Amino acid sequence: MKLTFLGHSSILIEVSGHRLLFDPFITPNPLASKVEITSLRPDFVLLTHAHGDHVADAETILKYSGATLISNYEIVTWYGAKGLTHGHPLNHGGAFNFPFGRVKYVNAVHSSSFPDGSYGGNAGGFVIETPEGTFYVSGDTALTYDMKLIADRYQLEFAVLPIGDNFTMGPDDAAIAAEWCGAKRVVGVHYDTFPPIVIDKDAAKATFAANGVELLLPAIGETIGL
């Protein structure tokens, strides 16, 4: 698997011959000014929840790419009303087999509404099983005991967790989340984009290391193998 960090919580994962784009917030993010969204060419766009810093570029990318949207029922329905009908809705605890693997929509503790105030359903995360390994993208969330259920059922290659604090878990809770879900490698997201979520990256890595977890913080635009 290859993962490209696109800034904030936006990541592109290449797995099983498909390109999965998560939570595209790119053009409004000055830190990601060198990322060209028309170059991403996703086959699937996965949205964890409806906040603007996770869906800002979703409509544009879905239109140009023809990608299939995977998200909760409310988000898929909202985009369907805009004519973007290539969508597959999930709800918490449900899973479905896609060409690249099996996607399960799992709990997250967070709010969710679109920038226009429309209801975005309940926030969630994804556990994705593929022939190349299983991984967990938590979306924005607090630390929750539900994460222990992931370790009970899956063996993760890695997890993608927010670490910026203030609106989500900070490094202390995220390191515990990694332990609970069974991830020995974590890609940190949702940090440094706005003043309240600027972190000390060296201190964050040390916090994870104390729990026996490697925290990966790729540069925006950098691709890493996982």
Side-chain angles (χ1 to χ4, degrees):
M1 278 182 280
K2 294 181 180 179
L3 181 149
T4 303
F5 182 51
L6 303 171
H8 198 53
S9 294
S10 305
I11 56 172
L12 181 71
I13 293 180
E14 299 172 70
V15 61
S16 300
H18 293 85
R19 296 166 67 85
L20 317 182
L21 177 64
F22 294 79
D23 291 350
F25 172 76
I26 299 166
T27 57
N29 181 5
L31 301 179
S33 60
K34 294 183 179 179
V35 177
E36 176 52 63
I37 63 171
T38 57
S39 70
L40 300 177
R41 299 174 284 104
D43 302 297
F44 296 86
V45 173
L46 296 91
L47 302 179
T48 60
H49 65 291
H51 284 163
D53 62 328
H54 292 256
V55 306
D57 293 305
E59 183 174 350
T60 298
I61 292 171
L62 287 165
K63 284 180 176 177
Y64 91 71
S65 67
T68 297
L69 171 63
I70 302 173
S71 192
N72 66 29
Y73 177 83
E74 289 81 5
I75 290 175
V76 171
T77 300
W78 192 85
Y79 282 102
K82 291 175 166 285
L84 295 165
T85 56
H86 292 95
H88 186 100
L90 295 168
N91 214 325
H92 292 78
F96 190 81
N97 293 325
F98 294 93
F100 57 86
R102 185 168 179 82
V103 178
K104 188 179 186 70
Y105 194 60
V106 297
N107 191 42
V109 180
H110 198 67
S111 56
S112 178
S113 59
F114 285 97
D116 67 0
S118 299
Y119 175 54
N122 293 320
F126 301 102
V127 176
I128 301 180
E129 299 174 88
T130 81
E132 298 178 35
T134 300
F135 61 95
Y136 168 43
V137 178
S138 73
D140 285 5
T141 187
L143 180 65
T144 168
Y145 249 57
D146 285 356
M147 294 168 176
K148 292 194 172 189
L149 297 174
I150 295 172
D152 287 345
R153 298 189 61 185
Y154 304 99
Q155 184 171 347
L156 299 181
E157 294 295 320
F158 66 93
V160 179
L161 303 177
I163 60 172
D165 217 343
N166 197 78
F167 300 113
T168 68
M169 299 184 290
D172 290 343
D173 280 356
I176 296 170
E179 179 184 353
W180 284 0
C181 74
K184 291 299 183 183
R185 290 185 296 175
V186 168
V187 178
V189 297
H190 207 281
Y191 68 93
D192 281 5
T193 316
F194 316 113
I197 62 172
V198 172
I199 66 168
D200 181 329
K201 291 186 279 294
D202 289 336
K205 288 182 178 180
T207 297
F208 276 79
N211 279 36
V213 179
E214 181 184 12
L215 176 62
L216 304 172
L217 300 176
I220 295 176
E222 182 181 354
T223 300
I224 59 175
L226 290 164

